[in-house]
């Protein structure tokens, strides 16, 4: 006799459980986020259901800490230097990775392209959204090089395609193929027969992810999941899904631009500060090895409101163009708009200019944009944002041979930034003649080896004096 299931309520934002429905989540404070969740069957029945699905449920034995082997397992080379960097050196055996992004941004293209580039690995690609012929058409397009010639033959690849949404049937195929890597596109389309709710519901997403996690950990086979995101930009499904997986990757970018950014939001096996950059082309995604040259390919000599900043994402330096437009407010309330830069930080920098430098911008509209559709979180962008705003305000261009970096504090001081040598080296490599850096970065760093002119400033006024005289 099958035991009765238990009903609880789960917050879709943070995964908080409650025995009754609540209007406001006591954990994350969000309103109207609780959804009904019918919990799985009792333990004995649940174990039988998992065994029927083909998942190993063998018991685990406690081990003494000194008895556990900590030998570093070799990572799987995915044949993609950008993806390997974001993952921390490659895919870890037995890990489960969640890749999220907006519809049409290129998640399936990136995944299939990676699968086709993997060598010496048997891959099972499970698709719940496309037919086998559609996947084959995309693969044919991805295998064509820039000259229109076909690449490696499909016969030389060990890739199997399964178009299925039933998780039990997926595990049947897993037993037949015995893959080295399992790809599921997407987790929202997969369902298990052990639950009565429809695919994509909280119950199904949670249970399917848990069963795939159990498979990954017991078999040592890495699993890559593709996930949808909501209109707010967060991964669809309960927040608990992000807690289940080992790594969460976010694939983002403006569909009006050709650049795509791969970020690591969570990574148990590497840094979350690394960044991968791709360029969308007709035959797939091209890895961008030197993003600085692509982001600075426009000639802006003689144009005001443009400043070049030496930014860092993880351990990767690159130069990015900051654009600003300052104009007299057409309406009563001045507009403040930022694309690719934090809106609140822009307001703070404008307040610093008002209070500490004496530039009156209270009756003017200010628009800021990071060129190339990039979204930069580096605080060293502060100095270039201020320089671009003032350049547009006084309609005076900044010398095209000048780059800069520095965090700006509330008292108008220019604070030290990290990785100063890498930032200077990147500017020097691209032919810049001068770079403005914080004065505090001069201590403890041997900067005499650089041929580029280095101007150290301690306050915003000093930087503006060096730029505009």
């Amino acid at each position: 006799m099958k035991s009765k299931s238990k009903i609880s309520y789960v917050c879709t934002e943070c995964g908080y459980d409650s025995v009754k429905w609540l209007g406001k989540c006591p954990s994350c404070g969000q309103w109207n986020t609780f959804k009904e969740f019918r919990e799985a069957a009792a333990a004995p029945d649940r174990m039988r259901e998992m065994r029927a699905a083909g998942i190993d449920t063998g018991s685990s034995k406690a081990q003494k800490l000194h008895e556990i082997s900590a030998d570093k397992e070799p990572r799987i080379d995915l044949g993609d230097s950008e993806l390997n960097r974001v993952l921390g050196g490659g895919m870890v055996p037995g890990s489960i990775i969640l890749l999220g992004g907006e519809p049409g941004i290129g998640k399936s293209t990136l995944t299939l392209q990676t699968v086709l580039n993997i060598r010496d690995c048997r891959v099972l690609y499970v698709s719940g959204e496309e037919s086998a012929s559609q996947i084959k058409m995309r693969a044919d397009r991805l295998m064509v090089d820039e000259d229109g010639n076909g690449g490696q033959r499909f016969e030389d690849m060990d890739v199997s395609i399964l178009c299925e949404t039933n998780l039990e049937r997926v595990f049947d195929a897993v037993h037949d193929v015995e893959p080295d890597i399992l790809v599921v596109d997407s987790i929202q389309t997969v369902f298990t027969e052990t639950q009565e709710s429809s695919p994509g519901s909280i119950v199904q997403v949670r249970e399917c992810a848990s069963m795939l996690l159990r498979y990954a950990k017991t078999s040592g086979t890495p699993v890559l999941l593709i996930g949808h995101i909501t209109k707010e930009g967060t991964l669809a499904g309960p927040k608990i899904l992000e807690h289940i997986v080992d790594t969460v990757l976010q694939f983002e970018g403006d569909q009006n631009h050709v650049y795509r950014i791969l970020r690591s939001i969570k990574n148990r096996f590497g840094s979350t500060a690394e960044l991968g950059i791709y360029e969308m082309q007709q035959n797939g995604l091209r890895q961008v090895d030197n993003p600085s040259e692509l982001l600075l390919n426009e000639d802006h000599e003689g144009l005001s409101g443009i400043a070049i900043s030496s930014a860092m994402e993880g351990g990767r330096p690159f130069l990015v163009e900051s654009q600003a437009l300052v104009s007299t407010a057409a309406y009563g309330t001045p507009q403040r708009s930022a694309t690719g830069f934090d809106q609140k930080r822009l307001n703070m920098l404008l307040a610093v200019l008002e209070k500490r430098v004496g530039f009156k911008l209270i009756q003017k509209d200010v628009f800021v944009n990071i060129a190339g559709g990039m979204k930069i979180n580096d605080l060293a962008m502060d100095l270039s944002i201020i320089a671009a705003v003032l350049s547009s305000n006084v309609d005076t261009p900044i010398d095209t041979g000048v780059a800069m970096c520095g965090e700006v504090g509330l008292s108008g001081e220019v604070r030290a930034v990290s990785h100063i040598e890498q930032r200077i080296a990147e500017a020097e490599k691209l032919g810049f003649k001068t770079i403005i850096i914080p004065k505090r970065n001069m201590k403890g760093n041997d900067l005499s080896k650089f041929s580029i002119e280095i101007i150290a400033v301690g306050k915003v006024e000093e930087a503006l004096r060096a730029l505009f005289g």
Side-chain angles (χ1 to χ4, degrees), residues 59-360:
S59 59
S60 301
K61 182 182 178 181
Q63 294 177 275
K64 295 290 186 180
L65 183 60
H66 68 275
E67 297 175 351
I68 301 174
S69 174
D71 295 335
K72 188 175 181 181
E73 294 188 45
R75 293 178 181 249
I76 300 174
D77 183 6
L78 299 176
D80 186 325
S81 60
E82 298 295 299
L83 184 54
N84 284 338
R85 177 191 292 111
V86 176
L87 290 175
M91 184 178 284
V92 177
S95 64
I96 182 166
I97 301 169
L98 177 62
L99 172 64
E102 296 179 357
I105 204 67
K107 302 184 298 297
S108 298
T109 299
L110 174 64
T111 304
L112 184 57
Q113 181 173 298
T114 302
V115 164
L116 297 177
N117 290 330
I118 296 176
R119 299 291 177 263
D120 303 324
C121 277
R122 187 182 300 111
V123 181
L124 176 58
Y125 188 101
V126 179
S127 176
E129 299 182 343
E130 295 178 297
S131 66
S133 59
Q134 290 174 322
I135 298 174
K136 181 61 164 57
M137 290 170 60
R138 174 180 286 150
D140 289 335
R141 176 171 56 86
L142 295 176
M143 293 301 293
V144 176
D145 58 24
E146 295 180 358
D147 298 327
N149 302 318
Q152 187 180 8
R153 296 189 310 164
F154 291 116
E155 291 81 0
D156 300 329
M157 304 175 185
D158 199 350
V159 179
S160 302
I161 305 297
L162 174 66
C163 299
E164 183 58 70
T165 57
N166 187 308
L167 191 58
E168 282 73 23
R169 295 176 186 171
V170 170
F171 281 119
D172 290 339
V174 166
H175 285 293
D176 295 336
V177 178
E178 296 183 353
D180 298 315
I181 298 176
L182 174 62
V183 178
V184 179
D185 181 10
S186 67
I187 185 62
Q188 277 83 13
T189 61
V190 179
F191 71 95
T192 172
E193 295 177 351
T194 61
Q195 299 295 330
E196 298 178 356
S197 55
S198 60
S201 64
I202 296 176
V203 178
Q204 289 289 357
V205 171
R206 190 175 185 177
E207 287 301 306
C208 290
S210 298
M211 294 172 71
L212 288 168
L213 173 69
R214 178 74 179 182
Y215 162 73
K217 300 305 179 185
T218 55
S219 66
T221 304
V223 178
L224 175 60
L225 307 177
I226 296 179
H228 300 160
I229 65 171
T230 63
K231 59 183 179 181
E232 290 82 15
T234 59
L235 285 161
K239 199 70 174 179
I240 195 69
L241 180 60
E242 296 185 35
H243 301 312
I244 289 175
V245 301
D246 298 313
T247 304
V248 180
L249 303 180
Q250 186 83 6
F251 200 44
E252 59 189 39
D254 189 346
Q255 295 191 16
N256 296 320
H257 292 82
V258 295
Y259 302 117
R260 301 289 185 268
I261 309 299
L262 183 66
R263 299 181 187 272
S264 176
I265 301 175
K266 169 190 175 182
N267 193 353
R268 288 175 177 160
F269 309 111
S271 171
T272 57
E274 291 297 339
L275 182 85
I277 302 179
Y278 296 87
E279 181 183 8
M280 179 63 78
Q281 297 182 339
Q282 185 175 359
N283 58 339
L285 293 160
R286 185 182 73 84
Q287 303 170 41
V288 178
D289 298 323
N290 190 358
S292 298
E293 294 181 353
L294 290 175
L295 295 173
L296 300 178
N297 59 358
E298 298 291 339
D299 182 14
H300 54 79
E301 186 173 358
L303 300 178
S304 63
I306 295 176
I308 307 300
S309 177
S310 184
M312 290 285 298
E313 286 288 345
R316 186 179 200 179
F318 58 93
L319 300 187
V320 63
E321 183 180 306
S322 305
Q323 301 175 344
L325 175 63
V326 179
S327 62
T328 304
Y331 305 100
T333 304
Q335 299 183 61
R336 302 286 189 262
S337 175
T339 304
F341 190 76
D342 186 17
Q343 174 81 46
K344 294 181 180 179
R345 191 152 192 90
L346 172 62
N347 293 333
M348 184 270 286
L349 294 176
L350 295 178
V352 170
L353 283 176
E354 290 268 358
K355 180 72 174 180
R356 305 299 180 187
V357 187
F359 282 86
K360 302 301 180 183

Side-chain angles (χ1 to χ4, degrees), residues 303-307 322-325 387-393 395-398:
L303 300 178
S304 63
I306 295 176
S322 305
Q323 301 175 344
L325 175 63
V389 169
L390 290 185
S391 172
S392 177
N393 186 46
D395 199 19
T396 301
I398 297 174

